[in-house]
Amino acid sequence: MSTRTFVYLMSVSMDRYGDIPIAKGDDDGTIFSEFLRESRYPTEQKHVKWEKVRDILEKYKVNMSPDHPPIAH
């Protein structure tokens, strides 16, 4: 991918989703993966709280309603 294309896609993403973290380990995917990895830990030992994951899901407009399954048929 050319630099010009990459910059364009980043611009479109920022317009759509706002500020995009670029620091390693600070992106939403890493935070969500850590939340899943820590799911079996006691609440007091978890680093990523449910509220943070909820905010990520709302940011990307993920619908977790049972009326709307995530996979289209």
Side-chain angles (χ1 to χ4, degrees), residues 13-29:
S13 299
M14 288 177 64
D15 289 344
R16 188 173 196 174
Y17 298 113
D19 186 36
I20 300 171
I22 57 173
K24 184 174 181 162
D26 196 27
D27 61 280
D28 295 335

Side-chain angles (χ1 to χ4, degrees), residues 45-71:
Q45 291 181 350
K46 294 180 182 180
H47 294 99
V48 179
K49 303 298 180 200
W50 159 246
E51 291 79 11
K52 178 68 175 171
V53 174
R54 182 195 61 212
D55 293 344
I56 291 171
L57 296 175
E58 287 176 357
K59 177 180 180 180
Y60 296 107
K61 299 175 178 70
V62 175
N63 188 345
M64 299 301 289
S65 169
D67 298 334
H68 298 92
I71 300 173

Side-chain angles (χ1 to χ4, degrees), residues 27-47:
D27 61 280
D28 295 335
T30 301
I31 293 169
F32 189 69
S33 294
E34 184 74 12
F35 175 78
L36 293 177
R37 189 177 66 76
E38 293 179 345
S39 65
R40 63 181 172 264
Y41 296 176
T43 304
E44 61 275 356
Q45 291 181 350
K46 294 180 182 180
H47 294 99

